[in-house]
């Protein structure tokens, strides 16, 4: 058992912490604020508050407001050109995982030549090293899901190749993360559930992966307890601050699980779904796959004790059987109101499954090596088919 623990991001956690931004040592003099192309960041006043904080800190800024829900390469390149034109020397991501991931990719391309795909280390990526250190990143998270605000990775889609691939390197750790649970109150119930399930998945996968270790286990189990026991409350009542805090805390811990451990092939299988169907939120895709994915793993009996421990963490203290985890997962999805999500509602058809299995195992195949059991293409197709409604 060995691991490397390196999570250098300074984290300000809790309701109202955005107001502390101006007191922090900021990593530059001119910020590029990255927000989504929707209305909510402005309508909720988050942008005005962030701008005011930067003014108080004596920092100039420009706003880039073009990030779409599943970030794509062309926008990243456009954002990088915008950062160069405006002479920005750091990036402030204000939003959910898509904004933070876009901001990280923009931070790379604002100071490096060529195309983002030159620096992607899998699939059709050209695997070049990142020559110049990316612009520093400040991440202000308005959702609890990806953990990207305090981890070293970003995921971007290349629509030309139908690849949804990540870049993971320590230079992408944000310098500062603000996890202000007050900002999460405005997330609607379904998205609270999707994002929360993403956070939960990072820890569930990390806990059963081949590279689980004492350090990742510690973070994963605590994350599963916090998200598993509080997400349904945050879904039912978005202003339940105690629930929001536990979910956000679990989200940060799950980000750390990915830094000191890994996720597993469920993420590759999902990225293939949303690479072909951009309208499918990542967390919704994970929800659809989760029952068949984990049941398949349980049937191999490679880590029964770990599934029993996860069932306990989710609230079944008397759990004895690995399938108790599936019982708790089903209950959790019911409680969060997302047990009946259908692939067909997103235009996915079963004839796509062989191509998606190839996509998951090919360009996005790295995570299969993190599994305790080597899935075959047949297994992948069977998981998709069992998950199909
Ligand atoms: Zn994820």
């Amino acid at each position: 058992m060995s691991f490397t623990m390196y999570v250098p991001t300074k984290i300000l956690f809790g309701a109202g912490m955005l107001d502390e931004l101006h007191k922090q040592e900021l990593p530059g003099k001119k910020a590029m604020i990255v927000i989504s192309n929707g209305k909510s960041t402005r309508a909720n006043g988050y942008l005005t508050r962030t701008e005011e904080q930067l003014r108080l800190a004596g920092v100039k800024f420009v706003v880039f407001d073009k990030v779409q829900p599943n970030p794509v390469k062309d926008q990243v390149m456009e954002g990088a050109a915008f950062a160069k034109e405006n002479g920005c020397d750091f990036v402030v991501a204000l939003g959910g995982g898509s904004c933070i991931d876009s901001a990280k990719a923009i931070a790379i391309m604002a100071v490096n030549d060529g195309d983002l795909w030159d620096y992607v280390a899998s699939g059709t990526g050209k695997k070049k090293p990142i020559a110049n250190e990316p612009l520093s990143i400040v991440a202000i998270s308005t959702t609890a899901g990806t953990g990207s605000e305090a981890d070293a990775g970003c995921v971007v889609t290349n629509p030309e190749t139908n690849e949804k691939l990540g870049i993971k390197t320590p230079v992408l750790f944000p310098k500062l993360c603000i996890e202000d649970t007050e900002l999460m109150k405005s997330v609607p119930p379904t998205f609270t559930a999707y994002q929360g399930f993403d956070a939960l998945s990072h820890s569930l996968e990390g806990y059963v992966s081949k590279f689980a270790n004492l350090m990742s286990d510690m973070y994963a189990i605590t994350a599963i307890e916090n998200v598993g026991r509080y997400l349904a409350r945050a879904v039912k009542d978005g202003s339940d601050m105690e629930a929001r805090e536990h979910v956000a805390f679990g989200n940060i811990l799950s980000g750390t699980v990915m830094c000191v451990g890994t996720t597993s092939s469920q993420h590759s299988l999902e990225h293939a779904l949303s690479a072909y169907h951009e309208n499918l939120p990542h967390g919704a895709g994970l929800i659809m796959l989760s029952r068949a994915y984990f049941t398949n793993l349980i049937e191999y009996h490679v880590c029964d004790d770990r599934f029993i421990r996860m069932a306990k963490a989710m609230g079944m203290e008397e759990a004895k059987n690995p399938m108790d985890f599936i019982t708790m997962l089903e209950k959790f999805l019911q409680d969060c109101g997302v047990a009946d999500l259908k692939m067909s509602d997103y235009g996915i058809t079963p004839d796509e499954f062989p191509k998606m299995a190839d996509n998951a195992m090919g360009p996005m195949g790295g995570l299969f090596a993190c599994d305790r059991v080597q899935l075959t293409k047949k297994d992948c197709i069977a998981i998709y088919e069992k998950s199909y409604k």
Side-chain angles (χ1 to χ4, degrees), residues 77-157:
M77 296 308 297
E78 194 185 335
F82 185 81
K84 278 186 209 165
E85 275 161 33
N86 288 284
C88 299
D89 57 2
F90 74 112
V91 182
V92 175
L94 172 63
S98 308
C99 275
I100 299 168
D101 280 11
S102 295
K104 287 177 173 179
I106 288 169
I108 296 171
M109 295 317 298
V111 290
N112 284 283
D113 296 331
D115 184 82
L116 179 68
W117 239 243
D118 294 344
Y119 304 98
V120 169
S122 54
T124 62
K126 298 217 175 90
K127 306 168 183 63
K128 275 201 214 165
I130 297 170
N132 302 315
E133 185 163 338
L135 298 181
S136 294
I137 297 146
V138 172
I140 304 167
S141 189
T142 60
T143 65
T146 65
S148 186
E149 58 269 49
D151 78 17
C154 64
V155 176
V156 177
T157 298

Side-chain angles (χ1 to χ4, degrees), residues 189-200:
T190 45
F191 281 91
T192 298
Y194 298 164
Q195 292 154 4
F197 194 79
D198 186 23
L200 181 68

Side-chain angles (χ1 to χ4, degrees), residues 152-169:
C154 64
V155 176
V156 177
T157 298
N158 183 347
E160 290 154 34
T161 58
N162 286 309
E163 289 170 306
K164 189 173 177 185
L165 298 179
I167 298 179
K168 197 175 171 189
T169 157

Side-chain angles (χ1 to χ4, degrees), residues 283-302:
L286 291 169
I287 288 168
M288 293 168 187
L289 294 170
S290 59
R291 283 164 283 206
Y293 178 81
F294 288 113
T295 301
N296 176 73
L297 189 53
I298 288 171
E299 283 166 357
Y300 285 100
H301 295 289
V302 283

Side-chain angles (χ1 to χ4, degrees), residues 40-342:
S40 62
T41 319
R42 284 193 172 90
N44 292 319
Y46 302 159
L47 180 62
T48 311
R49 285 180 57 193
T50 301
E51 289 173 343
E52 182 56 24
Q53 288 294 313
L54 293 177
R55 266 186 219 106
L56 285 170
V59 165
K60 293 194 175 69
F61 55 82
V62 287
V63 178
F64 180 75
D65 60 0
K66 295 189 177 171
V67 176
Q68 64 184 46
N70 269 320
V72 295
K73 183 172 79 74
D74 285 355
Q75 270 156 17
V76 167
M77 296 308 297
E78 194 185 335
F82 185 81
K84 278 186 209 165
E85 275 161 33
N86 288 284
C88 299
D89 57 2
F90 74 112
V91 182
V92 175
L94 172 63
S98 308
C99 275
I100 299 168
D101 280 11
S102 295
K104 287 177 173 179
I106 288 169
I108 296 171
M109 295 317 298
V111 290
N112 284 283
D113 296 331
D115 184 82
L116 179 68
W117 239 243
D118 294 344
Y119 304 98
V120 169
S122 54
T124 62
K126 298 217 175 90
K127 306 168 183 63
K128 275 201 214 165
I130 297 170
N132 302 315
E133 185 163 338
L135 298 181
S136 294
I137 297 146
V138 172
I140 304 167
S141 189
T142 60
T143 65
T146 65
S148 186
E149 58 269 49
D151 78 17
C154 64
V155 176
V156 177
T157 298
N158 183 347
E160 290 154 34
T161 58
N162 286 309
E163 289 170 306
K164 189 173 177 185
L165 298 179
I167 298 179
K168 197 175 171 189
T169 157
V171 289
L172 288 181
F173 275 111
K175 291 277 181 292
L176 174 68
C177 150
I178 297 185
E179 189 86 351
D180 184 341
T181 46
E182 194 72 38
L183 307 181
M184 297 169 189
K185 280 201 314 201
S186 56
V187 180
T190 45
F191 281 91
T192 298
Y194 298 164
Q195 292 154 4
F197 194 79
D198 186 23
L200 181 68
S201 294
H202 298 149
S203 282
L204 297 176
E205 292 175 32
Y207 196 68
V208 297
S209 91
K210 195 163 85 182
F211 297 111
N213 55 69
L214 285 173
M215 187 67 89
S216 67
D217 284 354
M218 178 182 81
Y219 285 100
I221 280 297
T222 309
I224 295 166
E225 284 169 356
N226 280 271
V227 181
R229 297 179 185 207
Y230 287 91
L231 183 63
R233 269 176 55 183
V235 171
K236 284 187 188 106
D237 175 8
S239 54
D240 179 339
M241 290 310 291
E242 189 189 21
R244 289 277 187 203
E245 277 163 11
H246 282 279
V247 173
F249 178 58
N251 168 48
I252 290 277
L253 300 186
S254 283
T256 309
V257 171
M258 290 187 279
C259 298
V260 70
T262 172
T263 53
S264 73
S265 60
Q266 183 184 222
H267 260 68
S268 306
L269 292 169
E270 194 303 302
H271 283 174
L273 288 180
S274 51
Y276 286 102
H277 294 271
E278 274 177 42
N279 59 336
L280 174 67
H282 173 53
L286 291 169
I287 288 168
M288 293 168 187
L289 294 170
S290 59
R291 283 164 283 206
Y293 178 81
F294 288 113
T295 301
N296 176 73
L297 189 53
I298 288 171
E299 283 166 357
Y300 285 100
H301 295 289
V302 283
C303 56
D304 286 356
D305 53 331
R306 288 185 170 259
F307 279 103
I308 294 167
R309 182 72 186 87
M310 294 199 299
K312 288 180 181 169
M314 290 182 75
M316 192 195 277
E317 308 292 349
E318 70 287 5
K320 284 192 203 64
N321 185 308
M323 282 303 283
D324 290 340
F325 168 74
I326 299 297
T327 304
M328 288 310 287
L329 177 63
E330 183 61 43
K331 181 180 179 303
F332 177 81
L333 297 177
Q334 297 280 353
D335 291 348
C336 292
V338 290
D340 297 319
L341 293 183
K342 293 181 184 62

